[in-house]
Amino acid sequence: MSELLSRAEALDAADELGALRDRFVLDEVVYLDGNSLGALPAHVPDRVADVVRRQWGELRIRSWDESGWWTAPERIGDRIAPLVGAAPGQIVVGDSTSVNVFKALVAAVRMAREAGGAPAGGPREEILVDATTFPTDGYIAASAARMTGCTLRPVAPGDVPAALSGRTAAVLLNHVDYRTGRLHDLPYLTAAVHAAGAYAVWDLCHSAGALPVGLDEHGVGLAVGCTYKYLNGGPGSPAFLYVRRDLQDRFDSPLPGWNSHAEPFGMRPEYEPARGALRGRVGTPDILSLLALEASLEVWDGVPIEAVRAKSLTLTDFFLECVAAYVPAGRVESVTPAAHGQRGSQVALRCADAGTVMKRLIERGVVGDFRHPDVLRFGFTPLYVGFGDAERAARVLAAVLGEV
C-alpha cells in the first residue's frame, strides 16, 4: 500500500463530513463532476413522487395553497441564503441563470443611471464584463448592453478597478472562473465597483455551496447562481437571484410578469411591482423542479459552509500532491492557483490530448470533464467526495497518461 493511499484512508477516517456521503446515490465511480451536475440526494425520488402523485395527482389546483406551491420561490430562497451569506428575504428562486443574469444586469444599469446622473466622466453608458466569463454571460451582457444603449467592454477581473470610470453602469463578474477554478476577490472588487458609483453583478455558479460567499457581509448588491452544481438540485434546476434588501424597492426588472405583480390575481393591465425580493419573479414557477431542489437542500441541514470550505481546500491540496507524485513531470500543468485564497473547489489540469484522456478516465471510473482545447476539470464536492477518491483519481490519471 502506497504512503498516499494510507494517508487517504487516515484522512477519510478523520473526516467530520464523511458520513454525508450516505445521503447521496453513489456507486464505485469516482465522481468529480459535481461542478457540472451534483449527485442525487437519496431521499429526493420519494419526495418528487409525492409531489407528482399526491400534490399534483390528488390535490391538483389546491396545492398552490395547501402544499405551499405559491410561496416556493422565496421559501427555497431562504434555504439557500445561509449558504451564500445572506439574511432571509433577499433571494428568490426561479428561471435559469441566464434569465436572472439578464434581469440583474439591466436592473443594475437602470439603478446606476437613476442614482448617478451624469458625472464628470459622462453618462452611465458602459457595462464591463469578465473577459474570461462563461460564454452565456457574455451573450447576455451584450444583449443587455444593446437594450440599454450601453457599450460593452470585456475586462479581466484583476483589471476591473483600473477600468472603472464615471461612465461605468454595471460590472458582471464570476466569483470562480469556470475553466481554471480561480477564485476572484469578491470583497475588493465589489467595493471598487461601488466606489465608482456602479453596480456589481456576481455570478456564483461555481461558488454557491462550495465556499463562503458573504453577500451581506461584503455589501454585494446583486448576485445570481445556479443550483444544479454544488447545491445538487438536479439537472436544469432553477437558479436564484439575490437583491440586497435596501435595493429591492429600486430593482426595476426588465421582465415584469404576473408573478411579480403586487396583486398577481388582480389581472390589472397596469404593472405594479411587488415589494421585496418577489420583484425577481416573472411567470408561473416551475414547481416540479423547485420542489425537487427544496428536497435536495435538506442534505445541508446542520452542515456549516465553513467546514465544507476547509475540506475542499484539503481535498484539492491532496489531489494535487497525488498528481505530482504519480504523474510523470511535464505531462500535466495545473492552471488552478495554488494559493487557497485564489482557489475555488475544482482543479484544472492542462494536458495534451485532454479530450481523449478524459474519455479514457471516464471509461475507468473516474468522471471529470473536458474543456476545449486542453483542460481536464475535476470538481471536488466535499459533501460526498473523499480523500480515497482523490488518490484513486490521480493514480488512474497517471495510468491513462502512460498509455496516450
Side-chain angles (χ1 to χ4, degrees):
M1 181 182 296
S2 74
E3 185 270 337
L4 287 171
L5 181 55
S6 296
R7 279 181 53 203
E9 292 178 350
L11 287 166
D12 279 331
D15 179 14
E16 63 178 302
L17 301 181
L20 297 176
R21 183 183 178 93
D22 292 338
R23 299 184 184 181
F24 293 87
V25 176
L26 295 166
D27 49 26
E28 296 306 309
V29 166
V30 176
Y31 189 65
L32 301 181
D33 208 8
N35 53 331
S36 289
L37 176 64
L40 171 67
H43 66 282
V44 169
D46 287 342
R47 291 285 293 278
V48 171
D50 177 71
V51 173
V52 172
R53 292 173 181 160
R54 184 181 63 84
Q55 297 181 32
W56 179 16
E58 297 175 17
L59 295 178
R60 292 177 287 275
I61 197 71
R62 292 160 51 196
S63 277
W64 286 103
D65 292 321
E66 296 181 24
S67 300
W69 288 1
W70 184 258
T71 58
E74 57 268 30
R75 183 178 72 243
I76 300 170
D78 285 346
R79 289 295 299 264
I80 293 172
L83 301 177
V84 292
Q90 299 177 102
I91 294 179
V92 65
V93 178
D95 306 309
S96 67
T97 304
S98 302
V99 171
N100 284 323
V101 167
F102 182 73
K103 295 178 203 172
L105 197 53
V106 172
V109 173
R110 291 173 174 176
M111 289 191 295
R113 287 174 171 171
E114 172 191 286
R124 300 283 177 179
E125 58 181 13
E126 183 178 69
I127 295 173
L128 304 183
V129 62
D130 182 346
T132 61
T133 191
F134 187 75
T136 293
D137 281 17
Y139 308 154
I140 294 291
S143 179
R146 292 194 301 271
M147 180 177 179
T148 58
C150 287
T151 57
L152 182 69
R153 181 151 63 114
V155 178
D159 296 333
V160 164
L164 294 164
S165 73
R167 297 179 61 245
T168 309
V171 183
L172 176 59
L173 292 161
N174 289 267
H175 196 192
V176 174
D177 185 296
Y178 80 100
R179 285 190 186 90
T180 67
R182 175 179 290 275
L183 173 67
H184 297 301
D185 193 338
L186 180 146
Y188 170 68
L189 292 173
T190 298
V193 172
H194 290 176
Y199 287 86
V201 178
W202 283 96
D203 183 330
L204 308 179
C205 285
H206 287 269
S207 58
L211 53 91
V213 178
L215 292 178
D216 287 354
E217 177 186 358
H218 302 305
V220 172
L222 300 162
V224 303
C226 70
T227 62
Y228 48 79
K229 301 182 189 297
Y230 296 105
L231 294 179
N232 310 297
S237 57
F240 64 89
L241 168 67
Y242 166 89
V243 182
R244 197 177 69 213
R245 194 177 310 280
D246 64 307
L247 298 180
Q248 290 173 359
D249 288 344
R250 295 173 49 213
F251 183 82
D252 184 5
S253 174
L255 296 173
W258 78 283
N259 252 241
S260 62
H261 198 286
E263 297 181 33
F265 293 98
M267 302 302 169
R268 293 192 277 115
E270 303 83 10
Y271 180 72
E272 179 186 350
R275 296 184 64 82
L278 292 180
R279 289 188 179 208
R281 293 174 65 152
V282 183
T284 304
D286 41 354
I287 292 299
L288 298 182
S289 293
L290 270 172
L291 299 187
L293 168 61
E294 184 172 34
S296 298
L297 291 170
E298 292 177 8
V299 300
W300 288 93
D301 289 349
V303 180
I305 192 67
E306 293 78 12
V308 170
R309 176 59 168 166
K311 180 179 175 182
S312 165
L313 292 172
T314 306
L315 263 174
T316 48
D317 279 344
F318 183 68
F319 176 69
L320 286 168
E321 182 182 353
C322 291
V323 169
Y326 293 154
V327 174
R331 292 293 279 120
V332 298
E333 173 195 2
S334 176
V335 295
T336 301
H340 285 183
Q342 298 176 11
R343 186 194 310 166
S345 198
Q346 73 178 52
V347 172
L349 302 176
R350 180 173 288 131
C351 81
D353 300 317
T356 299
V357 170
M358 183 53 68
K359 181 179 179 181
R360 294 194 180 180
L361 282 171
I362 292 171
E363 290 171 350
R364 297 192 183 189
V366 175
V367 177
D369 67 14
F370 159 67
R371 284 293 178 265
H372 185 80
D374 58 359
V375 171
L376 304 171
R377 289 197 322 170
F378 301 95
F380 290 82
T381 305
L383 298 186
Y384 54 77
V385 173
F387 294 90
D389 295 322
E391 189 275 340
R392 177 181 162 194
R395 188 160 28 90
V396 174
L397 174 62
V400 168
L401 289 172
E403 300 169 0
V404 295

